[in-house]
Amino acid sequence: MIVHEVIVKNRAGLHTRPAAAVVKLASRFKSDFFIEMQGVEINAKSIIGVMSLAAPKGTKLTLKLTGEDADEAARQLIEFFEQGFGEQ
């Protein structure tokens, strides 16, 4: 299992567009992917789950990945979070 903490960096937080992009990216991989925020863990391949986090800028999230392609999935997902979902 890969566990990595990230911070939501974009101004608007984890709103609809980046949530959908996270799910779309995660769904390209076979690995299971969960996000934990303040003790609540959601399936990050579920748009409802990711949107339910409503994580504002500065929120610390824990990404958890397990499976055959978890290394590559983690690399791409961490990079996506670090880049602020491609937003300012």
Side-chain angles (χ1 to χ4, degrees):
M1 176 180 277
I2 296 170
V3 178
H4 187 86
E5 286 189 351
V6 295
I7 304 291
V8 176
K9 294 184 175 186
N10 66 315
R11 231 178 313 151
L14 189 54
H15 60 88
T16 305
R17 192 203 66 76
V22 166
V23 171
K24 183 177 180 180
L25 179 57
S27 295
R28 292 179 22 202
F29 299 96
K30 293 180 182 178
S31 294
D32 292 327
F33 176 37
F34 295 90
I35 299 175
E36 183 178 327
M37 182 180 96
Q38 300 173 345
V40 176
E41 186 173 282
I42 58 91
N43 179 344
K45 291 186 175 183
S46 162
I47 187 66
I48 300 299
V50 177
M51 287 179 53
S52 73
L53 293 175
K57 180 179 181 178
T59 302
K60 184 188 302 182
L61 303 174
T62 303
L63 310 183
K64 300 178 180 182
L65 298 101
T66 184
E68 63 187 69
D69 55 1
D71 289 332
E72 182 60 20
R75 185 189 69 73
Q76 290 188 32
L77 287 157
I78 291 166
E79 181 177 313
F80 190 59
F81 273 89
E82 293 296 322
Q83 293 176 350
F85 315 118
E87 297 181 345
Q88 296 291 324

